[in-house]
Amino acid sequence: MKKIISVLLCLALVACIFAGCAKKEDLKSDIVLITNGATITDGGYNQSAWEGISSYAEENSMTCTYYQPILDNGEITVENVEKYVSLSAENGAKFIILPGEAFAVSAYEVAAVYPDINFILLEAIPHSADDTTDRFVSNVMSVTFDSLQSGFLAGYLAVINGNTELGYFGEYGSKISTSNGAGFVQGAAYAADSLGVPVTMDWAEYDSTLLDYNYDFTITACYEKIEDQSDETFTVNVVDGLGSGTYTKGSNITITANPAPAGKVFDKWEVKSDTEGVKDSKVNISSKTKESMNLLVEKCDCTITATYKDIEGTSYTVSVMTADGSEVASLYNVGENGSCNISAPVADANMIFDHWETSSAVKVEDANSAYTKVSEVNENAQLTPVYVTSDIPTFNITVVTGEGGDGESTGSGSYLTGDTVTLVSATPLEGYMFSHWENVDAYDHSTGIAMDNEYYYTTTFKMVDRYAALCDTMYNHGVSAIFTGGNSKAESAFTSKWDFDYDLNVIAAGENTKNAYTTIVNDYGEAIKDCLADFKGGTVTIANCATEGLYATFVSENDDVKAQYDEVYKALAEGKIELARVQNGAGYDFCKKYNEKNPSKCLTLNGWFLNGISFEL
C-alpha cells in the first residue's frame, strides 16, 4: 500500500497557478487542499473549499494546489495524510487545508511536525485516535459552523414557504444534530409568531433511549369473493406445485413445482383444459420442462400437474433443518457427486443467520451465507442453520392470511435493511380469489414498502432502511417537511420521501444536498478565505451569518419571502435574535425546557417518547 501511494502521489497532484502557466519543474504552491478522497467537482465540501482557495489565491497573487488522496480501504489514514503533507512541505506550502472530521487525528499528530506550515481544519477540532477530547495545536486553526443558526434558518424558511406541520428527525448522540434541531424549533416559532399562523412540530431522535418506537409490521394476504369480481375469471389448479387460484383473463402467473420426492427429479408439466370445447394446447405455459415457469391465463379453466422421474444412478438427499434440528424445512434430491443451491429458513424475531453446521462430508461454498451452494454430495446430508441475536436492529414481519384464504401465507421472520423478502399467499378457499397484499405498521399506517407486484399471490420487496419507518410515521401524521440537519441517518428521510410522495419536503443542513427541498449549507469556501486572511493558530473560529459562512440553496421565487429571509439573516448576523442553545446535545431536555417556558404563541412542540406516538410534553 505504501508503494502504491508513493507512486500515485504525482498522479493525484493537480496544480493551479494563477501567476501564469506552470513549468513541469515548478510545483511550488502556497496553499494546498487535501481532499477527502473525492474530486473538487463533487458539488459538496471539496468543491466549496477549492473555490474559496482558488478565489483567495487569485486575489492575493498566490499559488494553489490540491491533492486527491488514494484512500486506504475507503478511509483517510494518518499515514496517508502525512505523505501529502510532506510533499506539500517540499513544495513550499504555507497553508494546508483539511476538510472535515476525517482529518482531526491527522491534524493532531502531523501538524506539530511541520511548525512552519499553517493548517486550517474545517468542521472539526484536533484530537487523538483514542480520545475525542479537543486538542489545540499552535499551528492549527479550526472552523466550526453555527448549527443553531443553521437550524433557525431552516425552520424559518420552512414556515414562510407555507409548511405548517413540521418534523425534526435527529440524532441524540450528535451535538451538531440536536443543536440544529433546537434552532429549527426557534426559527419555525419565529416565523409562525410573525405570521400569526399555527404550526406543529414533531421531534424524534432515532437513537434516543427515550424513544421506544415499534418498527415491526404486518402483511396480510387479502382475498375477494369471485362472485364480486366484475371481470371474467378462470380457475387454475396446480397439482404438486404452487400457483393454484382464480385469475382474470390475461393474468401472467408463475407456476412452481414442489420439491421432488426421494430418488426423483422434476420431469415435465402436464396440462389439461378443464373447459369444454377448449383444447389442451390453449393452456399457454412458457415451458414444459422448467420447474418454475409462467402461465398466461386464457379463456379456459385448466389443471397443470408436475411430474417426476427417477434419478439415474445413485441419488442422495440434502436436508435443510429448522434451527432446533427437529424438522426438515426443505429437501433437495441430488445425483451422485452433484450439487444444489440451498437457503436457510427466515430468522425468528430479532435473530439473524450466522452459519451452517453439518456433520456430512459435503462442500459448503460459503458456510456464513444463508444462501449458498452445496456440492460433492456423495451421501445423505443434513445442514442446520445457526442463528444469533442481532446486534443490528431488525424488522420483524408477521405475514397473515386474510378471510378467504386456506392455510398459512409465508414470509414471516426477522429481516435486515437490504434483505429481499419473499411473500407467498395461502391458497384461496372455494369461491374466493387472491386480491392483493396489505401492509401496516404497529400504528396502523402503511409502511411504504415497494412490492414488485402487490396484486400477485407471490411477490418480493427489498427491506428499506429501518429508520425510514420513523419518517414514514411523521408523514402519516400529516408532516409535510422534515429537517435532518446534522443527522448521520439523514438519508432515511429521503428514502421515506421516495416511498410516499415526491411533493413531501426534506430540509438538509451542512453539505449541499441536491435532493433536498433546501439545504442550509456550511460554506467551506467562505470560511477558508476568512482563515487565510486572518490566521490564528491554536484557536477555534465559528462560521455563521455574521461571517457569511451559511447560506440557503433555495429560498423562494417570491420577492416578499426573499426580503423576509434577508431581513432575518441580517438580524442573526447582527446578533439581534438571541437563540437558546442545547446543553450537552440533550435534545429532549431542550424540548422539555422549551415547552415549560412556552415562548411561542403559535408553535406547538411535540416530543416522541413512548411507542412512537406523538404527544405534547
Side-chain angles (χ1 to χ4, degrees), residues 135-458:
R135 310 280 182 163
F136 298 96
V137 183
S138 62
N139 60 331
V140 178
M141 185 176 185
S142 291
V143 179
T144 62
F145 291 83
D146 194 330
S147 51
L148 197 65
Q149 286 192 359
S150 177
F152 186 95
L153 291 173
Y156 184 79
L157 273 174
V159 174
I160 63 173
N161 279 324
N163 297 283
T164 58
E165 295 183 80
L166 307 176
Y168 164 68
F169 175 55
E171 182 177 359
Y172 181 82
S174 166
K175 292 181 180 180
I176 293 176
S177 176
T178 50
S179 186
N180 264 297
F184 188 62
V185 172
Q186 294 172 79
Y190 190 93
D193 289 344
S194 64
L195 296 173
V197 176
V199 172
T200 61
M201 182 181 296
D202 291 340
W203 177 299
E205 293 168 330
Y206 79 89
D207 58 338
S208 172
T209 56
L210 297 177
L211 180 67
D212 185 20
Y213 186 84
N214 188 340
Y215 291 94
D216 300 344
F217 60 92
T218 301
I219 299 176
T220 303
C222 300
Y223 304 81
E224 60 183 333
K225 291 182 178 179
I226 295 173
E227 63 186 32
D228 295 335
Q229 174 61 243
S230 58
D231 296 332
E232 192 175 7
T233 61
F234 300 93
T235 300
V236 176
N237 177 33
V238 180
V239 180
D240 284 333
L242 292 175
S244 294
T246 301
Y247 305 94
T248 56
K249 180 182 179 298
S251 296
N252 193 342
I253 62 175
T254 300
I255 307 294
T256 303
N258 290 336
K264 304 231 180 233
V265 293
F266 175 79
D267 184 22
K268 65 181 185 297
W269 293 101
E270 293 180 350
V271 298
K272 178 179 178 299
S273 168
D274 295 329
T275 298
E276 186 175 349
V278 177
K279 297 179 180 179
D280 294 345
S281 59
K282 291 294 184 180
V283 181
N284 191 351
I285 62 174
S286 61
S287 174
K288 284 192 174 184
T289 58
K290 291 184 178 180
E291 294 178 70
S292 185
M293 54 80 180
N294 290 334
L295 164 70
L296 182 63
V297 177
E298 302 283 3
K299 283 193 171 184
C300 69
D301 299 329
C302 63
T303 296
I304 302 176
T305 304
T307 63
Y308 304 87
K309 62 182 180 181
D310 293 336
I311 294 177
E312 295 181 2
T314 307
S315 66
Y316 303 100
T317 59
V318 175
S319 304
V320 173
M321 310 301 292
T322 55
D324 60 6
S326 63
E327 298 180 21
V328 176
S330 54
L331 186 68
Y332 305 83
N333 291 299
V334 183
E336 188 171 11
N337 205 36
S339 64
C340 63
N341 295 314
I342 64 172
S343 60
V346 178
D348 290 336
N350 302 314
M351 305 290 285
I352 56 173
F353 175 85
D354 187 64
H355 67 276
W356 293 100
E357 288 186 350
T358 178
S359 58
S360 308
V362 294
K363 181 180 179 181
V364 181
E365 189 170 275
D366 185 352
N368 299 114
S369 173
Y371 309 93
T372 190
K373 183 177 182 179
V374 175
S375 57
E376 299 178 11
V377 178
N378 290 304
E379 61 179 309
N380 293 332
Q382 284 190 353
L383 289 97
T384 303
V386 177
Y387 301 89
V388 295
T389 302
S390 176
D391 292 330
I392 305 170
T394 64
F395 286 96
N396 297 318
I397 297 177
T398 301
V399 180
V400 299
T401 301
E403 181 182 356
D406 183 18
E408 180 182 0
S409 298
T410 60
S412 296
S414 180
Y415 298 91
L416 296 172
T417 297
D419 284 349
T420 297
V421 181
T422 300
L423 306 174
V424 180
S425 69
T427 301
L429 290 168
E430 186 175 351
Y432 285 84
M433 61 185 293
F434 178 80
S435 172
H436 64 283
W437 295 98
E438 287 184 353
N439 61 88
V440 294
D441 63 17
Y443 311 104
D444 292 325
H445 294 128
S446 173
T447 63
I449 59 174
M451 295 183 184
D452 291 340
N453 188 345
E454 63 184 292
Y455 299 103
Y456 192 45
Y457 81 95
T458 179

Side-chain angles (χ1 to χ4, degrees), residues 34 78 81-86 89 93-98 103-121 125-127 135-142 535 537-538:
I34 301 177
V78 174
V81 172
E82 198 280 332
K83 290 181 180 293
Y84 292 99
V85 171
S86 176
K94 298 175 183 176
F95 295 94
I96 293 179
I97 317 300
L98 305 174
F103 292 94
V105 176
S106 296
Y108 175 65
E109 296 187 8
V110 177
V113 181
Y114 297 88
D116 295 331
I117 299 177
N118 294 326
F119 291 79
I120 298 172
L121 177 61
I125 300 174
H127 61 78
R135 310 280 182 163
F136 298 96
V137 183
S138 62
N139 60 331
V140 178
M141 185 176 185
S142 291
F535 183 86

Side-chain angles (χ1 to χ4, degrees), residues 464-481:
V464 297
D465 174 2
R466 174 182 172 88
Y467 300 110
L470 194 58
C471 298
D472 288 352
T473 302
M474 287 189 183
Y475 287 137
N476 281 318
H477 283 182
V479 166
S480 63

